[in-house]
């Protein structure tokens, strides 16, 4: 019975996505929905893009094992990212009327910075989208009672998401996000009410978690405890700001105020609802301590799905897996579209196919969406990392390479191309070196990389411009 409800929901989703594709007439419609989205849709698409597999399965699994201190990156860092992006980045970026975040790096610095940043941001999406593909396979495996292999489910899920994303672009993503946000919120709240009745109410679960030390958020100890804690929080808080999907949501709004309010309200909603899966997963340990206790040690990601399958009625199962599929598909579609658009706009258009018409560009974007989808599927099939770790690791490269040139470029007039390049080189080199030599050091590699990126920007921008001096010398001595 459950699998048929899932099939009907998937067909409905594809139908909505294909219907929305009728609004796509040019590349701007495809990438930023013609900059026409109202506040409810912007809020929904910000919330639904963030509320993915890692929120339902990854965060809940990490919480039952490590408590609140283990989820500082997500939802704490992730929700703060959206709020900071809305307040401090959305107004300035919206006014620039750009198509991609890569366009900003070209406009503020030069094409070399644009190319490097585009590659870094695209690489960061591999882990994030792979986490969603992995979760899709897991859902199909569970709702079919094991008759669909997880790898087969990954193929099916990827094909479905690709279908409507390829045709409808941002219009399909945005309208489906609105539908999916409604399903997520209704489904999660219904299940929370049902489960809380089995565990003596919300207060009983909170008290039990408090006594077990799971609600201890701040680390205990000196700098050796605080530095990794801060590093984990900052990774998603700042590392996910220079991302194309965040940029698209802000710049798809109908005006600047909508861009700001949509990002902030989406971040606040995300923070509130991210606690529902944590509550449900911890409730499982009270309902059946032996079974779920063993599951936490072997595969904590399976706690929540098994709770729903074996301890709730069919209606709750339908709502849960509908909400889970909504969460995964909304994130997967957005994160497939973002890097594909950047590759077309910031690499092919400016470095390879310089004379594309708008219709050729639109067709190329659709081809790249399918190509990137195939690459992500291959990566997901061959990755052994957990869903939570795939997502957490995705933002390290953008933290050390892309954040500083973006933030300093917007807020410091003296930031220049030399500073941006030195910032990128020092940030990436330090991070990669530490990951190779001391990945488990007290100072997380990505935090040291961020600090070195700041140093590079300051040093490069304040020193005399070497290129300018070289050109001046060449002008004085043309024979040199």
């Amino acid at each position: 019975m459950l699998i048929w409800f899932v099939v009907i929901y998937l067909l409905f989703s594809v139908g909505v996505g294909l219907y929305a594709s009728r609004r796509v007439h040019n590349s701007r419609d495809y990438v930023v929905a013609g900059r026409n989205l109202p506040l409810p849709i912007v809020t929904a698409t910000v919330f639904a893009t963030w509320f993915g597999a890692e929120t339902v399965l990854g965060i809940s699994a990490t919480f039952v094992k490590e408590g609140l201190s283990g989820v500082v990156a997500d939802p704490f860092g992730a929700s703060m990212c959206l709020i900071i992006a809305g307040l401090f980045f959305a107004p300035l970026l919206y006014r620039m009327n750009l198509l991609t975040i890569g366009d900003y790096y070209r406009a503020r610095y030069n094409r070399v910075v644009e190319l490097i940043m585009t590659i870094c941001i695209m690489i960061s999406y591999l882990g994030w989208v792979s986490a969603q593909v992995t979760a899709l396979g897991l859902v199909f495996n569970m709702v079919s009672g094991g008759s669909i292999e997880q790898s087969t489910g990954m193929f099916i899920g990827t094909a479905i998401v690709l279908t409507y994303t390829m045709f409808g672009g941002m219009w399909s993503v945005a309208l489906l996000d609105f539908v999916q946000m409604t399903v997520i919120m209704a489904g999660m709240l219904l299940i929370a009410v049902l489960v809380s009745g089995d565990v003596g109410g919300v207060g009983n679960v909170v008290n039990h978690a408090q006594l077990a030390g799971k609600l201890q958020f701040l680390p205990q100890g000196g700098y050796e405890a605080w530095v990794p804690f801060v590093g984990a929080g900052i990774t998603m808080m700042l590392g996910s700001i220079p991302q194309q999907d965040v940029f698209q949501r802000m710049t798809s709004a109908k005006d600047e105020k909508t861009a700001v309010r949509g990002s902030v309200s989406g971040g606040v909603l995300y923070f509130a609802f991210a606690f529902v899966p944590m509550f449900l997963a911890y409730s499982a340990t009270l309902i059946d301590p032996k079974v779920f206790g063993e599951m936490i040690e072997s595969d904590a990601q399976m706690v929540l799905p098994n709770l729903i399958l074996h301890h709730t009625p069919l209606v709750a199962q339908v709502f849960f897996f509908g909400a889970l599929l909504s969460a995964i598909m909304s994130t997967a579609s957005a994160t497939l579209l973002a890097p594909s658009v950047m590759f077309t706009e910031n690499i092919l258009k400016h470095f390879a196919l310089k004379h594309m018409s708008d219709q050729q560009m639109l067709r190329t974007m659709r081809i790249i969406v399918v190509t990137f989808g195939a690459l992500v599927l291959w990566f997901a099939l061959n990755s052994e990392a957990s869903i939570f770790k795939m997502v957490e690791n995705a933002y390290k490269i953008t933290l050390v390479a892309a954040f500083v040139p973006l933030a300093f470029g917007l807020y410091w007039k003296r930031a220049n191309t030399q500073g941006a390049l030195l910032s990128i080189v020092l940030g990436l080199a330090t991070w990669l070196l530490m990951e190779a030599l001391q990945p488990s050091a007290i100072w997380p590699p990505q935090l040291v990389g961020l600090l070195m990126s700041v140093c590079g920007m300051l040093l490069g921008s304040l020193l005399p411009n070497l290129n300018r001096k070289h050109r001046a010398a060449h002008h004085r001595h043309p024979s040199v």
Side-chain angles (χ1 to χ4, degrees):
M1 240 347 239
L2 182 58
I3 187 67
W4 288 111
F5 279 111
V6 169
V7 168
I8 291 168
Y9 179 72
L10 290 173
L11 290 173
F12 169 75
S13 297
V14 171
V16 171
L18 293 178
Y19 171 78
S21 69
R22 297 167 60 190
R23 292 174 174 263
V24 176
H25 304 294
N26 53 50
S27 59
R28 183 162 290 270
D29 287 339
Y30 192 76
V31 179
V32 290
R35 287 166 69 99
N36 284 319
L37 299 184
L39 180 59
I41 302 292
V42 176
T43 301
T45 195
V46 168
F47 168 84
T49 300
W50 237 239
F51 202 99
E54 74 284 356
T55 313
V56 181
L57 302 177
I59 293 175
S60 60
T62 304
F63 173 73
V64 294
K65 292 180 73 174
E66 303 175 27
L68 277 184
S69 62
V71 294
V72 60
D74 196 359
F76 291 93
S79 54
M80 280 305 300
C81 157
L82 296 174
I83 294 169
I84 292 169
L87 293 175
F88 299 104
F89 291 84
L92 299 175
L93 291 172
Y94 190 89
R95 290 170 207 162
M96 294 181 75
N97 194 23
L98 304 170
L99 203 60
T100 71
I101 189 72
D103 290 344
Y104 166 80
Y105 292 104
R106 182 180 71 253
R108 182 64 175 83
Y109 302 110
N110 64 11
R111 291 198 189 279
V112 176
V113 177
E114 173 195 16
L115 177 62
I116 298 170
M117 290 295 89
T118 299
I119 292 170
C120 288
I121 293 169
M122 283 180 61
I123 290 171
S124 75
Y125 277 100
L126 266 179
W128 199 10
V129 192
S130 296
Q132 314 312 313
V133 172
T134 301
L136 281 170
L138 182 66
V139 171
F140 279 109
N141 178 259
M142 294 205 73
V143 298
S144 66
S147 59
I148 298 177
E149 293 288 333
Q150 186 167 345
S151 56
T152 306
M154 291 161 75
F155 274 100
I156 296 170
T158 303
I160 291 168
V161 173
L162 274 176
T163 300
Y164 64 80
T165 307
M166 179 185 68
F167 287 106
M170 190 60 193
W171 269 116
S172 290
V173 171
L175 293 185
L176 260 176
D177 280 353
F178 186 75
V179 173
Q180 289 164 338
M181 185 186 80
T182 306
V183 175
I184 290 167
M185 294 174 73
M188 287 294 166
L189 287 176
L190 172 67
I191 295 160
V193 170
L194 291 173
V195 170
S196 64
D198 295 334
V199 291
V202 176
N204 188 47
V205 177
V206 172
N207 289 334
H208 194 282
Q210 176 74 48
L211 293 173
K214 298 296 183 182
L215 302 187
Q216 176 65 44
F217 178 62
L218 298 177
Q220 301 296 302
Y223 84 98
E224 73 284 348
W226 275 92
V227 171
F229 177 81
V230 171
I234 283 180
T235 299
M236 285 193 75
M237 187 188 303
L238 303 183
S240 44
I241 289 176
Q243 291 281 2
Q244 174 63 14
D245 61 291
V246 175
F247 175 86
Q248 275 179 268
R249 269 128 202 82
M250 296 187 296
T251 52
S252 296
K254 65 179 183 178
D255 54 47
E256 186 181 315
K257 284 184 179 179
T258 302
V260 174
R261 292 170 181 170
S263 298
V264 173
S265 55
V268 172
L269 264 181
Y270 174 74
F271 183 75
F273 270 84
F275 283 89
V276 179
M278 286 190 264
F279 166 78
L280 294 173
Y282 194 79
S283 297
T285 64
L286 304 185
I287 291 173
D288 196 335
K290 184 176 184 300
V291 171
F292 289 112
E294 292 173 356
M295 199 173 291
I296 288 169
E297 297 302 319
S298 59
D299 189 357
Q301 291 176 168
M302 299 300 292
V303 169
L304 193 47
N306 275 286
L307 169 71
I308 303 302
L309 279 175
H310 302 297
H311 295 275
T312 61
L314 179 62
V315 64
Q317 294 174 24
V318 171
F319 267 96
F320 173 79
F321 285 103
L324 179 55
L325 279 170
S326 294
I328 296 168
M329 292 191 336
S330 60
T331 303
S333 58
T335 48
L336 275 171
L337 181 64
S340 306
V341 163
M342 286 194 73
F343 181 75
T344 309
E345 164 72 9
N346 301 113
I347 294 181
L348 289 182
K349 183 179 175 182
H350 294 294
F351 294 93
L353 306 173
K354 295 185 178 181
H355 303 292
M356 278 194 292
S357 68
D358 191 74
Q359 287 303 308
Q360 287 173 326
M361 186 174 172
L362 180 58
R363 191 182 310 117
T364 304
M365 283 179 181
R366 285 171 167 155
I367 293 169
I368 298 300
V369 166
V370 177
T371 306
F372 190 74
L375 177 63
V376 163
L377 179 60
W378 173 84
F379 185 83
L381 287 167
N382 291 279
S383 178
E384 295 181 0
S386 70
I387 291 170
F388 187 82
K389 284 299 177 187
M390 278 188 196
V391 172
E392 190 179 25
N393 291 336
Y395 303 108
K396 291 179 180 179
I397 187 170
T398 45
L399 177 70
V400 302
F403 175 74
V404 170
L406 173 64
F408 276 71
L410 289 172
Y411 284 98
W412 192 38
K413 290 183 179 180
R414 294 192 64 174
N416 59 26
T417 301
Q418 181 175 275
L421 289 170
L422 191 57
S423 170
I424 295 164
V425 170
L426 285 183
L428 281 173
T430 306
W431 170 60
L432 290 171
L433 194 63
M434 284 195 66
E435 286 284 3
L437 300 178
Q438 287 188 307
S440 302
I442 292 174
W443 281 83
Q446 72 272 18
L447 186 56
V448 180
L450 173 65
L451 295 175
M452 291 304 294
S453 180
V454 172
C455 292
M457 174 59 79
L458 294 173
L459 190 64
S461 298
L462 294 175
L463 283 176
N465 192 305
L466 298 179
N467 283 336
R468 191 181 302 156
K469 289 181 71 176
H470 175 75
R471 285 196 300 269
H474 185 78
H475 180 74
R476 288 195 301 271
H477 308 285
S479 60
V480 176

